[in-house]
């Protein structure tokens, strides 16, 4: 069956694809979105951002009620975990949100096609499901097929005892000892969830720091806090073998730089060494869409691929694998198709780790500025000196602001502390407007708030902080 006349067929209904589809429809285009998962929202809503944040919140409540209320004079006894109910709540959250996207498609008149999309040529996508094929003719195709778990060579993931992030969102029991391979944000978030629920957690990381790529000072503080919470780390260490033939799993590790191997016994392994672009089954080779040396769809600065009329966005192209980055790109492509000239500043894409405390960053790190030879000023303010943080007992961490030494323009912000993911937005907006640290410091911030720590860090950058 051939259905035609689309202006845009989007392949992939994740945050990149569904936002592109809705935006394009809002701009008057005739749009279809093909997704093979059977539920919209992609990795983010189904097996990523949303279920992980639901579990982070539930496990945080469990830990707080079990151990965190005594200092407030609240006595609680008999706290028990109902893991089944916790996981069911998470699944309910996911279901509600994925159905919400379906509703938004209907509201905006986007045709939702369930099926695996094959790009036959720049003007035709074939969606296959249950042995049936639907041909969609179109003026433009958008590849928004996202990413998949990066496998660890020699280790087979069974999503029961050896899991990826997907299995780690659905463990049927609390592990006695969870070994996490990879100290990136996904491994640390999921490790945190299961530690709070009672697991011993050991994180093995090849590099010599947690959250590689993050500002070095923040990484160090993050590692210190996670250790204080009970997480164990083996940094500068590589996993060389996983033997799951016995009752316990034996993981062989050795120093990344070489040295004696040792064996760690555990009952669950989480492999979280990154994600890779997903292009399987799209027919890209046949249609002539070029990939780069890391398997990502190659795009120009307007998201055009090597084939006219075929565009690509999100995790499947270059850039940080983050939902909000994919969303911005989705909007951009839609706007371009109607002749607008949108722009994304890739220096202002915030990143957040949703542990407690949260870690958030935007813009350049100190290491990046040094490498680029940019002279900068750094201003830092600890939450220990912030009255709101003191009054709620969340004093770990600090705000660090980086500004150009000559112009005072804010170049980056790195926050570890309570509500860091909320606080970072103020700096991101300021950076969009080309603000200086003095602009932030002279803006009246309400008292007593955590936001005052951002103002004080800005004061520390251009002058001196008041409360320190
Ligand atoms: C555990 C975890 C936690 C995360 N937490 C965060 C977070 O807190 N914040 C954040 O910003 N990011 C987070 N991410 C990353 C985020 O999920 C991704 O960056 C985001 O989903 C990428 O969006 P996308 O639209 O490019 O692709 P995806 O969300 O991967 O969507 C692609 C969709 O395309 C479909 N598809 C693929 N091929 C085809 C085909 N041939 N035909 C039809 N459909 C196809 C897939 O089934 C999928 O539904 C997390 C990821 C994980 C795994």
């Amino acid at each position: 069956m051939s259905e035609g006349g689309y202006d845009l067929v989007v392949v992939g209904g994740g945050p990149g694809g569904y936002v592109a589809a809705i935006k394009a429809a809002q701009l008057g285009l005739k749009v279809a979105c093909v997704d093979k998962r059977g539920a919209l929202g992609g990795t983010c809503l189904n097996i990523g951002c949303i279920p992980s944040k639901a579990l982070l919140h539930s496990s945080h409540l469990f830990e707080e009620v079990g151990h965190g209320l005594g200092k407030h004079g609240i006595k609680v006894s008999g706290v028990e975990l109902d893991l089944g109910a916790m996981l069911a709540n998470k699944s309910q959250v996911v279901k509600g949100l994925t159905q919400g996207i379906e509703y938004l498609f209907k509201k905006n008149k986007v045709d939702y096609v369930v099926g695996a999309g094959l790009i036959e040529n720049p003007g035709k996508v074939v969606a296959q499901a249950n042995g049936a094929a639907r041909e969609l003719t179109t003026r433009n195709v958008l590849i928004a097929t996202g990413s998949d778990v990066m496998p660890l060579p020699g280790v087979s993931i069974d999503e029961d005892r050896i899991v990826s992030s997907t299995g780690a969102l659905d463990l049927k029991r609390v592990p006695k000892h969870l070994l996490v391979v990879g100290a990136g944000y996904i491994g640390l978030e999921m490790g945190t969830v299961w530690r709070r629920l009672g697991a011993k957690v050991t994180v093995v990381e090849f590099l010599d720091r947690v959250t590689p790529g993050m500002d070095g000072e923040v990484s160090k503080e993050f590692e210190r806090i996670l250790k204080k919470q009970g997480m164990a780390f083996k940094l500068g260490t590589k996993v060389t073998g996983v033997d799951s033939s016995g009752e316990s799993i034996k993981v062989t590790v050795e120093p990344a730089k070489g040295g004696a191997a040792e064996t760690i016994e555990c009952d669950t392994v989480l492999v979280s060494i990154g994600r890779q672009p997903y292009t399987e089954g799209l027919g890209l080779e046949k249609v002539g869409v070029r990939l780069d040396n890391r398997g990502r769809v190659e795009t120009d600065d307007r998201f055009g691929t090597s084939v006219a009329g075929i565009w690509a966005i999100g995790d499947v192209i270059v850039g940080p694998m983050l939902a909000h980055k994919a969303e911005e790109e989705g909007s951009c492509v839609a706007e371009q198709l109607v002749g607008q000239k949108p722009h994304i500043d890739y220096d202002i894409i915030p990143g957040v780790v949703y542990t407690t405390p949260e870690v958030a960053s935007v813009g350049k790190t100190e290491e990046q500025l040094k490498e680029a030879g940019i002279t900068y000023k750094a201003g830092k303010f600890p939450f220990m000196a912030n009255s709101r943080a003191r009054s709620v007992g969340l004093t770990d961490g600090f705000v660090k602001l980086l500004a150009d030494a000559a112009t005072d323009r804010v170049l980056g912000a790195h926050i570890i502390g309570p509500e860091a993911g909320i606080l970072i937005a103020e700096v991101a907006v300021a950076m969009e407007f080309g603000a200086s640290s003095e602009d932030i410091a002279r803006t009246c911030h309400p008292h007593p708030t955590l936001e005052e720590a951002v103002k004080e860090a800005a004061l520390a950058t251009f002058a001196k902080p008041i409360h320190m």
Side-chain angles (χ1 to χ4, degrees):
M1 170 167 108
S2 180
E3 299 157 66
Y6 285 108
D7 296 304
L8 175 66
V9 171
V10 181
V11 185
Y18 83 69
V19 167
I22 291 172
K23 187 78 183 176
Q26 286 174 348
L27 292 169
L29 302 183
K30 186 172 179 215
V31 186
C33 180
V34 182
D35 195 291
K36 64 181 180 180
R37 187 182 296 274
L40 287 166
T43 302
C44 173
L45 263 61
N46 290 282
I47 50 165
C49 325
I50 298 305
S52 59
K53 266 80 257 181
L55 287 183
L56 277 159
H57 182 65
S58 297
S59 61
H60 174 66
L61 292 179
F62 178 69
E63 188 173 51
E64 278 299 283
V65 174
H67 307 287
L69 300 184
K71 65 175 183 276
H72 300 283
I74 303 168
K75 288 187 183 169
V76 188
S77 58
V79 179
E80 277 181 53
L81 174 66
D82 182 344
L83 182 59
M86 194 179 276
L87 295 178
N89 174 62
K90 176 244 345 167
S91 301
Q92 202 52 39
V93 169
V94 167
K95 194 169 166 209
L97 283 171
T98 57
Q99 287 175 345
I101 307 294
E102 256 186 74
Y103 160 78
L104 291 175
F105 271 13
K106 281 196 189 112
K107 185 176 165 204
N108 288 285
K109 302 194 170 42
V110 173
D111 291 340
Y112 171 31
V113 180
V114 179
L118 170 78
I119 305 172
E120 199 132 285
N121 60 51
K124 190 174 10 159
V125 173
V126 179
Q128 292 159 315
N130 306 322
R134 285 169 72 176
E135 284 182 9
L136 311 169
T137 57
T138 179
R139 290 196 303 125
N140 294 278
V141 177
L142 176 60
I143 302 168
T145 47
S147 61
D148 199 2
V149 169
M150 176 101 73
L152 183 61
V155 178
S156 61
I157 291 173
D158 60 17
E159 298 297 15
D160 178 31
R161 295 203 304 159
I162 303 180
V163 297
S164 69
S165 56
T166 306
L169 291 165
D170 252 324
L171 294 178
K172 298 294 172 274
R173 66 215 166 263
V174 178
K176 287 192 178 64
H177 185 187
L178 170 67
L179 185 133
V180 179
V181 190
Y185 80 92
I186 294 177
L188 296 181
E189 285 186 357
M190 294 317 302
T192 293
V193 165
W194 294 105
R195 182 198 57 71
R196 288 171 179 164
L197 299 181
K200 173 183 169 185
V201 177
T202 305
V203 182
V204 179
E205 165 61 48
F206 185 84
L207 299 174
D208 57 4
R209 52 188 281 193
V210 306
T211 50
M214 196 178 266
D215 189 90
E217 199 179 359
V218 171
S219 280
K220 261 199 205 112
E221 177 73 353
F222 194 22
E223 183 191 335
R224 189 190 67 77
I225 294 170
L226 291 173
K227 275 184 180 157
K228 201 170 76 177
Q229 293 173 353
M231 218 180 249
F233 289 94
K234 281 201 162 292
L235 303 179
T237 303
K238 63 180 175 194
V239 170
T240 54
V242 176
D243 175 4
S244 59
S245 57
E247 208 160 288
S248 73
I249 304 175
K250 293 188 174 63
V251 180
T252 313
V253 301
E254 62 182 54
K257 291 180 183 143
E262 66 171 302
T263 303
I264 305 174
E265 279 196 46
C266 60
D267 59 341
T268 309
V269 174
L270 162 59
V271 177
S272 57
I273 57 168
R275 296 184 62 79
Q276 58 188 11
Y278 186 79
T279 53
E280 213 177 287
L282 272 174
L284 296 188
E285 205 174 312
K286 199 168 148 226
V287 83
V289 170
R290 260 199 318 268
L291 304 183
D292 69 13
N293 58 1
R294 291 170 65 179
R296 300 172 295 208
V297 175
E298 205 175 274
T299 48
D300 59 23
D301 59 3
R302 297 187 65 232
F303 311 106
T305 69
S306 51
V307 176
I310 302 184
W311 313 85
I313 54 159
D315 278 11
V316 81
I317 69 165
V318 69
M321 288 182 165
L322 292 169
H324 41 284
K325 176 258 192 191
E327 289 187 28
E328 293 304 324
E329 292 177 342
S331 283
C332 263
V333 167
E335 287 167 348
Q336 280 176 187
L337 291 179
V338 297
Q340 296 179 11
K341 302 254 177 306
H343 170 75
I344 297 174
D345 187 340
Y346 284 93
D347 270 337
I348 316 181
I349 309 260
V352 181
V353 189
Y354 295 87
T355 44
T356 303
E358 290 182 350
V359 184
S361 65
V362 64
K364 301 283 189 220
T365 62
E366 279 203 61
E367 290 78 9
Q368 286 170 332
L369 291 175
K370 278 182 192 146
E371 202 181 309
I374 298 169
T375 47
Y376 64 92
K377 302 175 290 177
K380 222 172 109 180
F381 191 80
F383 282 102
M384 185 57 101
N386 172 271
S387 57
R388 183 63 177 274
R390 289 286 284 265
S391 55
V392 296
L394 299 171
T395 51
D396 270 334
F398 55 81
V399 178
K400 178 159 91 174
L401 217 68
L402 303 171
D404 188 287
T407 64
D408 192 32
R409 186 180 178 133
V410 177
L411 301 173
H414 306 280
I415 307 178
I416 176 163
E419 309 289 7
I422 292 175
L423 300 182
I424 204 71
E426 168 185 355
V427 185
V429 172
M431 285 175 73
E432 271 298 338
F433 283 90
S436 62
S437 73
E438 183 175 352
D439 288 327
I440 297 179
R442 290 195 185 279
T443 302
C444 187
H445 286 65
H447 174 76
T449 57
L450 299 167
E451 288 90 321
E452 287 173 296
V454 176
K455 176 188 168 95
E456 292 270 10
L459 266 171
T461 311
F462 109 95
K464 281 187 175 161
I466 299 292
H467 293 93
M468 202 177 68

